[in-house]
Amino acid sequence: MADTTPPWWRRGPVVAAVVVLILLTELIIGWRPLMEAIDQLRTPQWNWVAGALVAEVASMGSYARMQRALLRGAGTKVQVRKHVALAYAAHSLSATLPGGPVFSTTFNFQHMRRFGASPAVASWCIALSGVLSTGALVVIGAVFGILTRSTGSWQTLLTYMGGALLVALTVRLLAQHPEWLIRPARLLLSGANRIRRRPPAAGHARLAGFVDQLRSVRVRPLDFAYAVLLAVANWLLDALCLWMCCIAVGADDIGPAPLVIAYCAGMAAASVPIVPGGLGVVDGALILGLVAGGLATGSAVAAVVLYRLISFGFIIGMGWLVWAVMRARARTPRGVPAR
Protein backbone atom coordinates (compact mmCIF):
# COMPACT_ATOMS: atom_id res chain seq x y z
CA MET A 1 0.00 0.00 0.00
CA ALA A 2 1.39 3.40 -1.04
CA ASP A 3 2.54 5.74 1.69
CA THR A 4 0.21 8.76 1.71
CA THR A 5 2.06 10.61 4.48
CA PRO A 6 2.87 14.14 3.27
CA PRO A 7 6.54 15.22 3.24
CA TRP A 8 7.74 16.91 6.41
CA TRP A 9 7.65 20.43 4.93
CA ARG A 10 3.91 20.12 4.19
CA ARG A 11 2.83 18.92 7.61
CA GLY A 12 0.64 21.24 9.69
CA PRO A 13 2.96 21.72 12.69
CA VAL A 14 5.92 22.52 10.41
CA VAL A 15 3.93 25.08 8.41
CA ALA A 16 2.64 26.66 11.64
CA ALA A 17 6.19 26.80 13.06
CA VAL A 18 7.47 28.50 9.89
CA VAL A 19 4.67 31.08 10.02
CA VAL A 20 5.34 31.82 13.70
CA LEU A 21 9.10 32.09 13.08
CA ILE A 22 8.58 34.55 10.21
CA LEU A 23 6.19 36.67 12.26
CA LEU A 24 8.55 36.70 15.28
CA THR A 25 11.48 37.72 13.07
CA GLU A 26 9.44 40.55 11.57
CA LEU A 27 8.34 41.62 15.05
CA ILE A 28 11.91 41.80 16.37
CA ILE A 29 13.33 43.61 13.34
CA GLY A 30 10.47 46.07 12.95
CA TRP A 31 9.53 46.73 16.58
CA ARG A 32 9.97 50.52 16.46
CA PRO A 33 8.11 51.03 13.14
CA LEU A 34 5.43 48.69 14.47
CA MET A 35 4.89 50.91 17.53
CA GLU A 36 4.61 53.95 15.24
CA ALA A 37 2.15 52.04 13.06
CA ILE A 38 0.01 51.13 16.07
CA ASP A 39 -0.22 54.81 17.00
CA GLN A 40 -1.43 55.64 13.49
CA LEU A 41 -3.89 52.76 13.45
CA ARG A 42 -5.58 53.94 16.64
CA THR A 43 -7.14 56.94 14.90
CA PRO A 44 -7.71 56.08 11.22
CA GLN A 45 -9.97 58.15 8.99
CA TRP A 46 -12.97 55.84 8.97
CA ASN A 47 -14.47 57.24 5.78
CA TRP A 48 -11.35 56.12 3.89
CA VAL A 49 -11.44 52.75 5.66
CA ALA A 50 -15.01 52.31 4.44
CA GLY A 51 -13.91 53.30 0.94
CA ALA A 52 -11.10 50.72 1.05
CA LEU A 53 -13.58 48.05 2.09
CA VAL A 54 -15.90 48.95 -0.80
CA ALA A 55 -12.97 48.84 -3.25
CA GLU A 56 -11.94 45.38 -2.03
CA VAL A 57 -15.48 44.03 -2.32
CA ALA A 58 -15.68 45.50 -5.84
CA SER A 59 -12.35 43.82 -6.69
CA MET A 60 -13.72 40.43 -5.70
CA GLY A 61 -16.88 41.15 -7.66
CA SER A 62 -14.80 41.94 -10.76
CA TYR A 63 -13.02 38.61 -10.60
CA ALA A 64 -16.31 36.76 -10.17
CA ARG A 65 -17.81 38.59 -13.15
CA MET A 66 -14.73 37.80 -15.24
CA GLN A 67 -15.31 34.07 -14.74
CA ARG A 68 -19.03 34.56 -15.36
CA ALA A 69 -18.27 36.33 -18.67
CA LEU A 70 -16.08 33.42 -19.79
CA LEU A 71 -18.69 30.81 -18.82
CA ARG A 72 -21.50 32.83 -20.40
CA GLY A 73 -19.47 33.18 -23.59
CA ALA A 74 -19.09 29.38 -23.63
CA GLY A 75 -22.86 28.95 -23.30
CA THR A 76 -23.32 28.48 -19.55
CA LYS A 77 -25.35 31.23 -17.89
CA VAL A 78 -25.20 31.49 -14.11
CA GLN A 79 -26.49 34.10 -11.68
CA VAL A 80 -23.95 36.69 -10.56
CA ARG A 81 -24.46 35.94 -6.86
CA LYS A 82 -23.45 32.31 -7.38
CA HIS A 83 -20.25 33.34 -9.10
CA VAL A 84 -19.48 35.88 -6.38
CA ALA A 85 -20.02 33.24 -3.69
CA LEU A 86 -17.75 30.83 -5.57
CA ALA A 87 -15.05 33.50 -5.91
CA TYR A 88 -15.05 34.23 -2.16
CA ALA A 89 -14.98 30.58 -1.12
CA ALA A 90 -12.35 29.51 -3.64
CA HIS A 91 -10.13 32.50 -2.75
CA SER A 92 -10.23 31.56 0.93
CA LEU A 93 -9.28 27.97 0.15
CA SER A 94 -6.40 29.13 -2.03
CA ALA A 95 -5.07 31.72 0.42
CA THR A 96 -5.21 29.84 3.71
CA LEU A 97 -4.65 26.11 3.12
CA PRO A 98 -1.27 24.48 2.47
CA GLY A 99 -1.45 23.55 -1.19
CA GLY A 100 -4.46 25.88 -1.36
CA PRO A 101 -4.42 26.47 -5.16
CA VAL A 102 -5.05 22.74 -5.70
CA PHE A 103 -8.06 22.76 -3.36
CA SER A 104 -9.30 26.00 -4.90
CA THR A 105 -9.07 24.66 -8.46
CA THR A 106 -10.92 21.47 -7.49
CA PHE A 107 -13.60 23.47 -5.67
CA ASN A 108 -14.01 25.78 -8.69
CA PHE A 109 -14.28 22.84 -11.06
CA GLN A 110 -16.85 20.98 -8.96
CA HIS A 111 -19.14 23.99 -8.64
CA MET A 112 -18.86 24.99 -12.29
CA ARG A 113 -19.98 21.47 -13.09
CA ARG A 114 -22.96 22.00 -10.77
CA PHE A 115 -23.67 25.24 -12.63
CA GLY A 116 -24.13 23.12 -15.76
CA ALA A 117 -20.73 23.51 -17.44
CA SER A 118 -19.20 20.46 -19.07
CA PRO A 119 -15.86 19.21 -17.71
CA ALA A 120 -14.09 20.70 -20.74
CA VAL A 121 -15.77 24.10 -20.40
CA ALA A 122 -15.11 24.24 -16.65
CA SER A 123 -11.44 23.34 -17.13
CA TRP A 124 -11.09 25.84 -19.96
CA CYS A 125 -12.72 28.63 -17.93
CA ILE A 126 -10.47 28.05 -14.91
CA ALA A 127 -7.33 27.95 -17.07
CA LEU A 128 -8.20 31.05 -19.08
CA SER A 129 -9.25 33.09 -16.04
CA GLY A 130 -5.85 32.35 -14.48
CA VAL A 131 -4.07 33.37 -17.68
CA LEU A 132 -6.06 36.60 -17.98
CA SER A 133 -5.53 37.49 -14.32
CA THR A 134 -1.76 36.92 -14.47
CA GLY A 135 -1.46 38.73 -17.80
CA ALA A 136 -3.41 41.71 -16.48
CA LEU A 137 -1.07 42.05 -13.48
CA VAL A 138 1.98 41.91 -15.76
CA VAL A 139 0.59 44.61 -18.04
CA ILE A 140 -0.41 46.86 -15.12
CA GLY A 141 3.09 46.53 -13.64
CA ALA A 142 4.67 47.34 -17.01
CA VAL A 143 2.45 50.40 -17.58
CA PHE A 144 3.12 51.92 -14.18
CA GLY A 145 6.78 50.92 -14.37
CA ILE A 146 7.12 53.02 -17.49
CA LEU A 147 5.24 55.88 -15.85
CA THR A 148 7.83 55.87 -13.05
CA ARG A 149 10.64 55.26 -15.57
CA SER A 150 11.68 52.17 -13.67
CA THR A 151 11.62 50.08 -16.85
CA GLY A 152 13.29 50.61 -20.16
CA SER A 153 10.83 52.04 -22.65
CA TRP A 154 7.50 51.68 -24.38
CA GLN A 155 9.02 48.73 -26.25
CA THR A 156 9.09 46.92 -22.89
CA LEU A 157 5.39 47.60 -22.38
CA LEU A 158 4.55 46.40 -25.88
CA THR A 159 6.56 43.22 -25.25
CA TYR A 160 4.68 42.49 -22.01
CA MET A 161 1.32 43.29 -23.57
CA GLY A 162 2.11 41.21 -26.64
CA GLY A 163 3.23 38.26 -24.52
CA ALA A 164 0.12 38.37 -22.31
CA LEU A 165 -2.16 38.69 -25.35
CA LEU A 166 -0.35 35.88 -27.16
CA VAL A 167 -0.79 33.47 -24.25
CA ALA A 168 -4.48 34.33 -23.87
CA LEU A 169 -5.14 33.99 -27.60
CA THR A 170 -3.23 30.70 -27.71
CA VAL A 171 -5.46 29.24 -24.99
CA ARG A 172 -8.52 30.50 -26.84
CA LEU A 173 -7.25 29.11 -30.16
CA LEU A 174 -6.54 25.70 -28.64
CA ALA A 175 -10.06 25.66 -27.23
CA GLN A 176 -11.38 26.27 -30.75
CA HIS A 177 -9.13 23.60 -32.28
CA PRO A 178 -8.66 20.97 -29.54
CA GLU A 179 -7.89 18.30 -32.14
CA TRP A 180 -4.37 19.78 -32.28
CA LEU A 181 -3.84 18.47 -28.76
CA ILE A 182 -5.06 14.91 -29.33
CA ARG A 183 -1.82 13.40 -30.64
CA PRO A 184 0.57 14.89 -28.02
CA ALA A 185 -1.97 14.21 -25.25
CA ARG A 186 -2.26 10.55 -26.32
CA LEU A 187 1.53 10.20 -26.35
CA LEU A 188 1.76 11.62 -22.82
CA LEU A 189 -1.10 9.43 -21.63
CA SER A 190 0.47 6.30 -23.15
CA GLY A 191 3.76 7.12 -21.44
CA ALA A 192 2.00 7.59 -18.12
CA ASN A 193 0.18 4.27 -18.64
CA ARG A 194 3.49 2.49 -19.18
CA ILE A 195 4.87 3.92 -15.95
CA ARG A 196 1.70 2.89 -14.09
CA ARG A 197 1.77 -0.53 -15.82
CA ARG A 198 -1.61 -0.09 -17.43
CA PRO A 199 -2.70 -0.84 -21.03
CA PRO A 200 -1.27 1.78 -23.46
CA ALA A 201 -4.75 2.80 -24.69
CA ALA A 202 -6.25 3.21 -21.19
CA GLY A 203 -8.02 6.56 -20.90
CA HIS A 204 -7.91 7.35 -24.63
CA ALA A 205 -11.68 7.10 -24.95
CA ARG A 206 -12.18 9.60 -22.10
CA LEU A 207 -9.64 11.91 -23.73
CA ALA A 208 -11.55 11.78 -27.03
CA GLY A 209 -14.81 12.59 -25.20
CA PHE A 210 -13.16 15.52 -23.42
CA VAL A 211 -11.90 16.89 -26.76
CA ASP A 212 -15.39 16.56 -28.27
CA GLN A 213 -16.76 18.66 -25.39
CA LEU A 214 -14.00 21.21 -25.85
CA ARG A 215 -14.98 21.65 -29.51
CA SER A 216 -18.24 23.22 -28.33
CA VAL A 217 -16.43 26.10 -26.60
CA ARG A 218 -16.95 29.21 -28.68
CA VAL A 219 -16.51 32.44 -26.75
CA ARG A 220 -17.73 35.58 -28.47
CA PRO A 221 -15.08 38.31 -28.90
CA LEU A 222 -17.24 40.77 -26.93
CA ASP A 223 -17.41 38.44 -23.91
CA PHE A 224 -13.68 37.82 -24.15
CA ALA A 225 -12.89 41.55 -24.26
CA TYR A 226 -15.22 42.16 -21.30
CA ALA A 227 -13.42 39.44 -19.33
CA VAL A 228 -10.06 41.10 -20.06
CA LEU A 229 -11.33 44.45 -18.76
CA LEU A 230 -12.67 42.79 -15.62
CA ALA A 231 -9.31 41.08 -15.03
CA VAL A 232 -7.61 44.50 -15.12
CA ALA A 233 -10.30 46.02 -12.90
CA ASN A 234 -9.81 43.25 -10.34
CA TRP A 235 -6.18 44.26 -9.74
CA LEU A 236 -6.70 48.02 -9.98
CA LEU A 237 -9.53 47.98 -7.45
CA ASP A 238 -7.37 45.96 -5.06
CA ALA A 239 -4.59 48.51 -5.52
CA LEU A 240 -7.16 51.25 -4.88
CA CYS A 241 -7.94 49.56 -1.57
CA LEU A 242 -4.24 49.79 -0.63
CA TRP A 243 -4.14 53.47 -1.63
CA MET A 244 -7.19 54.27 0.49
CA CYS A 245 -5.60 52.44 3.42
CA CYS A 246 -2.56 54.69 3.03
CA ILE A 247 -4.73 57.81 3.17
CA ALA A 248 -6.74 56.40 6.10
CA VAL A 249 -3.62 56.27 8.28
CA GLY A 250 -2.25 59.60 7.05
CA ALA A 251 0.34 58.07 4.74
CA ASP A 252 -0.51 60.10 1.65
CA ASP A 253 3.06 60.99 0.61
CA ILE A 254 3.18 58.47 -2.23
CA GLY A 255 2.03 58.89 -5.82
CA PRO A 256 -0.23 56.48 -7.70
CA ALA A 257 2.52 55.05 -9.90
CA PRO A 258 4.98 54.13 -7.08
CA LEU A 259 2.07 52.72 -5.07
CA VAL A 260 0.96 50.45 -7.92
CA ILE A 261 4.56 49.31 -8.44
CA ALA A 262 4.76 48.42 -4.74
CA TYR A 263 1.40 46.67 -5.03
CA CYS A 264 2.52 44.61 -8.04
CA ALA A 265 5.67 43.59 -6.14
CA GLY A 266 3.52 42.39 -3.25
CA MET A 267 1.20 40.44 -5.52
CA ALA A 268 4.17 38.88 -7.31
CA ALA A 269 5.46 37.76 -3.90
CA ALA A 270 2.03 36.27 -3.20
CA SER A 271 2.45 33.95 -6.19
CA VAL A 272 5.25 32.13 -4.36
CA PRO A 273 3.39 29.67 -2.07
CA ILE A 274 5.90 29.62 0.80
CA VAL A 275 3.33 30.05 3.57
CA PRO A 276 -0.48 30.21 3.43
CA GLY A 277 -1.76 33.66 2.50
CA GLY A 278 1.78 34.87 1.88
CA LEU A 279 2.00 35.88 5.55
CA GLY A 280 5.17 37.84 6.09
CA VAL A 281 6.26 37.55 2.45
CA VAL A 282 3.55 39.73 0.93
CA ASP A 283 3.60 42.16 3.86
CA GLY A 284 7.36 42.58 3.63
CA ALA A 285 7.27 43.16 -0.13
CA LEU A 286 4.47 45.72 0.19
CA ILE A 287 6.23 47.60 3.01
CA LEU A 288 9.55 47.71 1.15
CA GLY A 289 7.78 48.91 -1.99
CA LEU A 290 5.90 51.66 -0.17
CA VAL A 291 9.05 52.80 1.63
CA ALA A 292 10.87 52.90 -1.71
CA GLY A 293 7.97 54.98 -3.03
CA GLY A 294 8.50 57.64 -0.38
CA LEU A 295 6.59 56.60 2.75
CA ALA A 296 8.10 56.49 6.22
CA THR A 297 8.53 52.95 7.55
CA GLY A 298 5.94 53.37 10.32
CA SER A 299 3.39 54.79 7.89
CA ALA A 300 4.03 51.97 5.41
CA VAL A 301 3.59 49.35 8.13
CA ALA A 302 0.32 50.95 9.29
CA ALA A 303 -1.05 51.10 5.75
CA VAL A 304 -0.11 47.48 5.00
CA VAL A 305 -1.55 46.21 8.30
CA LEU A 306 -4.85 47.95 7.56
CA TYR A 307 -4.83 46.72 3.96
CA ARG A 308 -4.20 43.13 5.04
CA LEU A 309 -6.91 43.32 7.70
CA ILE A 310 -9.34 44.13 4.89
CA SER A 311 -7.99 42.09 1.96
CA PHE A 312 -6.92 39.07 4.02
CA GLY A 313 -8.78 39.17 7.34
CA PHE A 314 -12.21 40.41 6.23
CA ILE A 315 -12.32 38.86 2.74
CA ILE A 316 -10.92 35.50 3.86
CA GLY A 317 -13.32 35.44 6.82
CA MET A 318 -16.25 36.14 4.52
CA GLY A 319 -14.99 33.47 2.14
CA TRP A 320 -14.95 30.79 4.81
CA LEU A 321 -18.47 31.73 5.88
CA VAL A 322 -19.61 31.46 2.27
CA TRP A 323 -17.81 28.12 1.94
CA ALA A 324 -19.64 26.79 5.01
CA VAL A 325 -23.00 27.88 3.59
CA MET A 326 -22.23 26.36 0.17
CA ARG A 327 -21.12 23.10 1.77
CA ALA A 328 -24.26 22.94 3.91
CA ARG A 329 -26.49 23.56 0.89
CA ALA A 330 -24.63 20.95 -1.14
CA ARG A 331 -25.32 18.37 1.58
CA THR A 332 -29.03 19.27 1.83
CA PRO A 333 -31.22 17.03 -0.38
CA ARG A 334 -33.48 18.76 -2.86
CA GLY A 335 -36.88 19.59 -1.50
CA VAL A 336 -35.59 19.68 2.08
CA PRO A 337 -35.16 23.24 3.42
CA ALA A 338 -31.74 23.99 4.93
CA ARG A 339 -31.85 24.92 8.60
Side-chain angles (χ1 to χ4, degrees):
M1 186 174 181
D3 185 10
T4 59
T5 304
W8 65 267
W9 64 84
R10 292 183 60 187
R11 295 176 184 173
V14 175
V15 173
V18 171
V19 172
V20 171
L21 182 61
I22 291 174
L23 293 177
L24 285 176
T25 303
E26 288 186 337
L27 185 63
I28 294 171
I29 295 175
W31 179 257
R32 182 176 296 177
L34 181 60
M35 291 300 100
E36 296 174 4
I38 290 175
D39 288 337
Q40 289 179 275
L41 285 169
R42 285 174 180 169
T43 56
Q45 300 181 49
W46 290 107
N47 54 334
W48 287 103
V49 174
L53 185 59
V54 170
E56 192 62 29
V57 170
S59 173
M60 291 295 298
S62 296
Y63 185 84
R65 285 170 172 80
M66 176 189 69
Q67 287 199 325
R68 181 174 182 263
L70 293 176
L71 270 188
R72 181 182 61 196
T76 303
K77 296 182 179 180
V78 185
Q79 295 176 343
V80 175
R81 63 179 181 83
K82 291 185 178 180
H83 268 288
V84 171
L86 178 59
Y88 272 85
H91 177 65
S92 294
L93 291 173
S94 177
T96 55
L97 295 179
V102 176
F103 291 102
S104 176
T105 300
T106 303
F107 187 78
N108 257 315
F109 179 82
Q110 290 173 344
H111 279 78
M112 286 185 183
R113 293 284 290 121
R114 290 174 184 170
F115 293 163
S118 67
V121 169
S123 301
W124 173 88
C125 178
I126 293 170
L128 187 54
S129 61
V131 169
L132 291 181
S133 185
T134 303
L137 182 63
V138 170
V139 171
I140 290 170
V143 169
F144 282 89
I146 288 175
L147 292 177
T148 57
R149 298 182 181 179
S150 61
T151 58
S153 63
W154 287 99
Q155 284 79 5
T156 305
L157 172 62
L158 293 176
T159 300
Y160 284 144
M161 292 181 65
L165 185 61
L166 179 62
V167 172
L169 290 178
T170 300
V171 174
R172 186 169 183 264
L173 189 62
L174 288 175
Q176 293 178 337
H177 300 280
E179 63 274 7
W180 298 348
L181 297 173
I182 291 181
R183 183 174 178 79
R186 281 179 174 171
L187 291 174
L188 288 174
L189 187 57
S190 297
N193 286 335
R194 280 194 293 270
I195 295 173
R196 299 167 63 188
R197 297 181 180 180
R198 300 181 64 184
H204 285 199
R206 277 185 77 181
L207 176 63
F210 184 85
V211 170
D212 286 338
Q213 293 177 24
L214 203 54
R215 283 197 181 100
S216 65
V217 179
R218 293 291 184 271
V219 176
R220 295 174 298 177
L222 186 61
D223 288 312
F224 183 77
Y226 183 50
V228 171
L229 291 176
L230 288 170
V232 174
N234 168 47
W235 294 115
L236 290 180
L237 286 167
D238 195 26
L240 178 62
C241 173
L242 176 60
W243 178 69
M244 289 184 170
C245 288
C246 289
I247 297 178
V249 298
D252 53 0
D253 299 330
I254 186 171
L259 182 137
V260 173
I261 292 298
Y263 170 80
C264 290
M267 296 306 103
S271 65
V272 182
I274 300 176
V275 291
L279 286 174
V281 180
V282 174
D283 311 274
L286 285 173
I287 291 169
L288 288 175
L290 293 176
V291 170
L295 290 186
T297 304
S299 297
V301 171
V304 170
V305 168
L306 181 58
Y307 166 73
R308 292 286 273 172
L309 285 173
I310 294 173
S311 65
F312 186 79
F314 176 78
I315 296 298
I316 296 299
M318 288 293 297
W320 278 111
L321 288 175
V322 171
W323 175 86
V325 171
M326 293 176 71
R327 185 175 176 84
R329 289 181 175 176
R331 288 180 171 180
T332 303
R334 293 186 178 180
V336 178
R339 295 183 180 179

